Amino acid sequence: MRVLLLFVLACLALPLSADDNGAVFKAGFLAGEWQPYVLQSTDYTLRGTDTIALQRFTAKADVIVTDSTAQHYLLTWRFHGFTIDTDSRLLKNAVEKASPVTVTCLVSPVGILREFIDWSSITTCLDEALKSEVPAYALRSDSAARLELERLYAFRTGLEGWFLRGIRLFHQLHGYGYDLGVAVDVPTMLALPGLTDPVPGIVRKRLDRVDDIGTAVVSTVSVPDTAYIKSILSQSKTPSEQIAPLLSTKMSGATVFDLKTGWVFFTFEALEQATDRFQTGQLLELTHSSTYNSY
C-alpha cells in the first residue's frame, strides 16, 4: 500500500498546464494494438496500526484491440500469470494451477464500455485446480481443512468479480469531460461487502491535474446512501455489530490517464470498513506494466 500512495502522490505533483482548465477522456486505440497491465486485488485487516491479515492476488493482463471500426472497438483482455501471497497452502496451490482467463468486450468509439461479449472462462479457470487440490481436504474432518476449503471457495467467488471490475475501472472515465478542480456527482449503485444487493449512492469525481504532455489525474469518492442502508437493515433485524461496519464504509479511488491515446497508466478502487477493534479493507489496482514497481 505504500507503493500505491507514493505513486498517487507523484502523479498529483505533476505540473499543471497553464492553458488547460479541463480534459475530455476519449479512446484513441489502434487496430491490433497491445498494451500490458498488472491487476492486483488485496484484502487486509488492521488492528490499530498492526496488519493482522493480508492476502494479495496478482495477474498479468494483455489488452489487445482486436477490431476497430467507426462504430466500435473490440477489446480482448487476457489474464494470466496468476500468483497469490497468502498463508493458505490450498489457495496457493490452486492459483498456481489456474487457467488463463479471456474477456472480450465491446467499446464505443470514445471508449465507453458497452457490453461484455464473452467472459465464460472466468467461471471455469479454477475447475482443473479444484479437481486436483480439493479431494485431499474434503476427505478430512478437522476444522483446519474446513477453513481452508471455505477460504478457497470465498476466493473463487471474489475472483469472478475482480476481472470484470478491473475492466470497468479502466473504462470509468471514457466518454466524459471534466473541469479542473470541479467535483461532479454521478448517481450509481454500489456493491458493499455484507449486503446481497447493491445500494444507491453517488460517485464524486474530480479532475485534479492535467500536465503539458497530456496526462490527467482524476480522484473519486463513492458515498452510499446511509439512510437507505439503515432502512433495509432495520427491516431484516440485522445485529448492531454488523450494521456499524456498513455505515462506516469508505470508498475512494484515482485514475492516471493518457489523454492522447486513451490508455490508462494506473487506476485503483479502495474500500474500508471499521469497527471499534478492527479495520478491514479491499484494494483493487490496475497498473500499466511500464509504471508497475516504478515507485
Side-chain angles (χ1 to χ4, degrees):
M1 282 171 282
R2 182 177 63 179
V3 172
L4 164 68
L5 294 175
L6 288 173
F7 187 94
V8 173
L9 290 173
C11 292
L12 292 176
L14 290 169
L16 288 176
S17 173
D19 299 325
D20 287 333
N21 294 315
V24 177
F25 296 80
K26 297 188 296 184
F29 310 142
L30 302 175
E33 187 175 10
W34 163 77
Q35 297 290 339
Y37 285 86
V38 176
L39 179 74
Q40 282 193 320
S41 178
T42 305
D43 291 273
Y44 60 89
T45 302
L46 304 177
R47 183 168 54 201
T49 58
D50 295 329
T51 301
I52 60 175
L54 178 67
Q55 183 168 287
R56 178 177 290 116
F57 170 76
T58 302
K60 296 178 181 178
D62 299 325
V63 188
I64 305 166
V65 184
T66 50
D67 190 24
S68 174
T69 71
Q71 290 76 39
H72 67 258
Y73 291 104
L74 200 63
L75 298 186
T76 297
W77 290 69
R78 183 178 183 274
F79 297 97
H80 60 100
F82 307 136
T83 60
I84 188 169
D85 293 327
T86 179
D87 58 0
S88 169
R89 179 176 298 178
L90 176 58
L91 255 180
K92 189 179 291 288
N93 291 343
V95 168
E96 288 176 353
K97 296 178 180 179
S99 303
V101 166
T102 300
V103 179
T104 304
C105 51
L106 187 69
V107 177
S108 79
V110 294
I112 300 172
L113 179 61
R114 294 299 191 195
E115 181 184 358
F116 289 111
I117 303 296
D118 182 13
W119 67 95
S120 57
S121 59
I122 291 179
T123 61
T124 60
C125 68
L126 283 174
D127 283 0
E128 292 303 316
L130 295 180
K131 290 178 183 178
S132 63
E133 296 297 327
V134 167
Y137 287 82
L139 292 173
R140 291 165 49 183
S141 59
D142 57 286
S143 58
R146 289 196 300 271
L147 179 60
E148 287 280 86
L149 290 172
E150 289 172 3
R151 291 181 63 180
L152 175 60
Y153 284 103
F155 171 83
R156 185 188 190 187
T157 300
L159 183 67
E160 295 179 0
W162 295 333
F163 297 126
L164 300 185
R165 280 177 56 205
I167 296 173
R168 290 192 182 100
L169 276 178
F170 177 89
H171 288 285
Q172 65 178 327
L173 300 179
H174 286 95
Y176 297 95
Y178 300 93
D179 294 323
L180 192 63
V182 178
V184 178
D185 289 349
V186 181
T188 188
M189 299 298 290
L190 301 172
L192 303 183
L195 293 179
T196 303
D197 299 320
V199 300
I202 62 167
V203 178
R204 182 166 297 142
K205 300 181 180 181
R206 187 182 67 190
L207 176 61
D208 291 320
R209 291 288 189 273
V210 181
D211 73 1
D212 293 321
I213 61 174
T215 302
V217 179
V218 174
S219 60
T220 62
V221 177
S222 299
V223 182
D225 185 333
T226 54
Y228 179 87
I229 295 175
K230 288 180 180 179
S231 173
I232 61 173
L233 293 180
S234 63
Q235 296 173 18
S236 63
K237 298 181 180 180
T238 303
S240 58
E241 63 269 16
Q242 296 179 29
I243 294 177
L246 287 168
L247 296 180
S248 69
T249 300
K250 298 178 182 179
M251 303 176 70
S252 59
T255 300
V256 184
F257 193 99
D258 184 0
L259 294 171
K260 301 186 300 299
T261 67
W263 291 99
V264 171
F265 288 125
F266 172 72
T267 185
F268 81 92
E269 180 180 73
L271 181 150
E272 289 188 338
Q273 294 180 321
T275 65
D276 292 338
R277 298 181 57 199
F278 302 105
Q279 178 177 322
T280 60
Q282 299 176 347
L283 176 64
L284 187 69
E285 304 167 85
L286 183 68
T287 311
H288 194 279
S289 293
S290 64
T291 56
Y292 184 65
N293 281 337
S294 295
Y295 296 87

